[in-house]
Amino acid sequence: MIIFGSPGRYIQGPGTLDRIGEEVGRLGKSAVLVADAVVDGLVGGRVAAGCDAAGVTLRKLAFGGEITPGEIDRLHGALGGERPEVVIAAGGGKCIDAGKGLAARLGAEVASLPTVASNDAPTSHVYVLYDEDHRLLRVDRLPRNPALVLVDTAVIVRAPRILFLAGIGDALVKSFEAAQCALSGGRNIFGSRPPQVGLVLADACYRCLRDHAAPALAAVDRGEPDEAVERVVEATVLWSGLAFENGGLSIVHSMTRGLSAVPALAGSLHGLQVAYALLVQCLLEERDPAFMDDLLAFYRGTGLPCGLADLGLEAPSDADYALIAELTLQAPHARNFDRDTAPGDLVRAMRFLDGRAGTLPRP
């Protein structure tokens, strides 16, 4: 059996924010906008105007900044018994996941309105919860993917470059994880054998980013959306989400459990964490030195992290390495790998990356 899941409707391009009222109106006549103060200042007025024009009653709730069970409790309590039909989750991955958590409580539809392209949270039906110290707590699920994903690339290019880079890192890894999930007989996020389209999308993601990441980053530096930006955003927000949910995950995303448990690494962006973890997985796969050199050159050219120091941990201790490895292999997706892996294998790979000298042969 195979299962394929996707958002109900995906709209991308400069100025698409002005469609928000019309699109939300297809889903319901009452909505709540979940956004932090910065994002509300950026898009809140246009959302309100669009909803008003479409006859959609809108209420706003301020996101507190961290996606924890307590934050979802707070947002739900702030509604005071109101049950809007649509949750518009605007901002980055944390706020969009908070909106998903609120929608799950309400039984409401989700409209994702990303203002950054830092990960593929806008398209997926899963949302990640952390504790108060930003250690990964658990992954919960909506009954279905967001009904609407609306991506205004004129807004996206005004966000900090590092967030765009994180999105590239998050999407880049999906080809390697989907391949390992398929090789090992693993299951995708929907609990089925991965459909072929998941693998195709994952591979397309990787090829698109290798071809277009550099010019897209240059366009972001200029603050001007262009064709490279459009291609990369489609890959990082849409294809990447479809790829991981349908193709499956492996060691790379499992490493976020370990990396987020080290205080110096916990605040680093998800996309940068998994980009680093891809190097670890490739070493575990025993990729040849030429492949690793090519991938490392791409990392260096774009600014993706090549070692733990690039993520904020300057001098990892033996205990740090051991903790990351142990928690990584406790994650369920770590089983989606085509060979047995022990904590010592991960430690050797991490140590090798931290001590690299221009090439990346086997650990």
Side-chain angles (χ1 to χ4, degrees):
M1 179 183 74
I2 64 171
I3 299 175
F4 177 86
S6 69
R9 191 169 170 86
Y10 181 90
I11 303 171
Q12 176 188 312
T16 54
L17 180 57
D18 293 328
R19 297 175 58 105
I20 187 69
E22 171 191 351
E23 297 297 334
V24 170
R26 298 172 187 266
L27 305 175
K29 292 302 179 183
S30 60
V32 57
L33 173 65
V34 179
D36 64 27
V38 173
V39 170
D40 185 40
L42 183 65
V43 302
R46 292 169 70 184
V47 172
C51 287
D52 184 60
V56 176
T57 302
L58 182 71
R59 178 169 176 180
K60 293 183 179 182
L61 290 179
F63 173 54
E66 289 296 335
I67 172 60
T68 63
E71 175 64 6
I72 293 175
D73 289 341
R74 186 190 67 80
L75 291 169
H76 185 254
L79 286 173
E82 292 183 34
R83 299 188 68 85
E85 297 173 89
V86 185
V87 175
I88 305 171
K94 288 183 181 181
C95 187
I96 288 173
D97 275 4
K100 290 178 188 176
L102 177 60
R105 291 280 189 92
L106 297 169
E109 297 282 10
V110 175
S112 297
L113 181 59
T115 57
V116 298
S118 60
N119 56 57
D120 49 31
T123 68
S124 76
H125 81 299
V126 301
Y127 54 101
V128 182
L129 295 167
Y130 293 84
D131 66 17
E132 299 298 335
D133 297 316
H134 201 69
R135 293 174 299 200
L136 194 150
L137 192 60
R138 67 177 188 268
V139 178
D140 285 350
R141 304 182 183 200
L142 291 165
R144 56 190 173 276
N145 291 70
L148 171 68
V149 182
L150 194 151
V151 188
D152 192 325
T153 46
V155 174
I156 295 293
V157 295
R158 296 203 296 270
R161 183 184 198 273
I162 190 66
L163 298 176
F164 196 83
L165 180 64
I168 291 169
D170 188 36
L172 189 76
V173 309
K174 302 302 169 41
S175 175
F176 301 85
E177 292 196 273
Q180 280 294 333
C181 187
L183 282 171
S184 62
R187 300 289 172 172
N188 67 12
I189 304 302
F190 299 106
S192 85
R193 179 169 56 88
Q196 288 298 306
V197 68
L199 305 179
V200 170
L201 285 165
D203 287 343
C205 236
Y206 180 74
R207 292 195 304 271
C208 176
L209 296 173
R210 291 300 305 261
D211 291 343
H212 301 290
L217 285 164
V220 168
D221 290 339
R222 298 192 304 270
E224 300 171 355
D226 63 5
E227 184 58 25
V229 168
E230 296 297 333
R231 292 191 180 201
V232 168
V233 169
E234 185 180 343
T236 58
V237 178
L238 179 60
W239 297 358
S240 178
L242 295 173
F244 97 79
E245 290 205 301
N246 295 288
L249 298 174
S250 184
I251 294 290
V252 171
H253 270 72
S254 299
M255 285 197 72
T256 61
R257 293 205 178 222
L259 295 169
S260 68
V262 178
L265 300 173
S268 56
L269 293 168
H270 170 83
L272 301 184
Q273 288 188 4
V274 296
Y276 162 77
L278 174 59
L279 297 177
V280 175
Q281 178 172 309
C282 285
L283 289 172
L284 296 175
E285 291 177 7
E286 300 183 347
R287 297 271 180 167
D288 65 70
F291 176 89
M292 296 303 297
D293 286 345
D294 175 67
L295 187 58
L296 180 59
F298 175 75
Y299 272 50
R300 286 176 168 163
T302 56
L304 289 169
C306 299
L308 290 177
D310 297 330
L311 291 174
L313 186 60
E314 293 291 342
S317 66
D318 291 346
D320 290 329
Y321 286 125
L323 178 63
I324 294 168
E326 178 183 355
L327 294 181
T328 293
L329 294 180
Q330 289 178 12
H333 302 304
R335 295 191 293 271
N336 296 338
F337 200 64
D338 70 342
R339 65 198 69 188
D340 292 335
T341 306
D345 299 323
L346 272 79
V347 170
R348 282 190 292 275
M350 289 186 286
R351 287 188 182 279
F352 180 85
L353 288 170
D354 284 338
R356 70 197 183 282
T359 61
L360 290 172
R362 297 175 184 178

